[in-house]
Amino acid sequence: MRSFEVTAARLPQTRLGTRYAVAQVDDFLDEAAAALTCWEGGTPSALHADDVVHKEFRSVALFAAGYDADAVDDLLDRVAVQLREYEPGAQLQADQERQDERQVRGMLERAQQELRDKRGEA
């Protein structure tokens, strides 16, 4: 997800279901786009992925128009994923996860081979 995608996103508005206050969401999306722009330019941002994940918005009054909450949450999830990739330590964490996965796969393959060997002996 790039900053221009956040800026260009058009969120559906509705009068039913869970909805968020339009102005509040728009302000936060501007902040998120600015954070992505900073990272894209090689400068760290004060807004972190956890800030995006934990952001809460006001709900709108009954039958008042607001952004569809699911659409907003989906967009912000994509922003958070991108911010995590930019944040320091993200590559180290990804490398560690890949190493852990290889280790677990190796253990599984050894256990399967041992099981095959035991079945062959019986």
Side-chain angles (χ1 to χ4, degrees):
M1 163 131 296
R2 305 284 300 199
S3 58
F4 70 88
E5 293 175 279
V6 175
T7 305
R10 298 293 171 243
L11 296 166
Q13 290 190 30
T14 184
R15 293 185 182 276
L16 300 173
T18 307
R19 303 163 320 281
Y20 295 144
V22 170
Q24 189 180 21
V25 170
D26 285 343
D27 289 346
F28 190 71
L29 290 176
D30 289 344
E31 187 177 343
L36 289 171
T37 299
C38 286
W39 283 108
E40 290 162 4
T43 305
S45 168
L47 183 69
H48 298 280
D50 287 339
D51 299 328
V52 174
V53 169
H54 298 296
K55 180 65 177 173
E56 293 183 10
F57 300 102
R58 289 188 312 277
S59 295
V60 296
L62 189 62
F63 299 114
Y67 284 136
D68 178 77
D70 290 334
V72 172
D73 292 341
D74 289 345
L75 178 61
L76 291 179
D77 286 345
R78 293 174 44 212
V79 170
V81 166
Q82 185 61 56
L83 286 173
R84 281 202 200 290
E85 290 180 16
Y86 286 133
E87 291 173 358
Q91 187 60 45
L92 293 175
Q93 181 178 353
D95 291 345
Q96 182 63 46
E97 288 171 2
R98 281 191 291 276
Q99 181 180 355
D100 292 346
E101 182 180 350
R102 282 192 300 272
Q103 188 175 23
V104 168
R105 283 180 192 259
M107 291 168 45
L108 178 60
E109 289 171 5
R110 284 190 295 278
Q112 289 172 334
Q113 185 61 45
E114 287 177 16
L115 183 59
R116 284 191 294 271
D117 291 348
K118 286 184 180 181
R119 285 185 182 162
E121 293 174 4

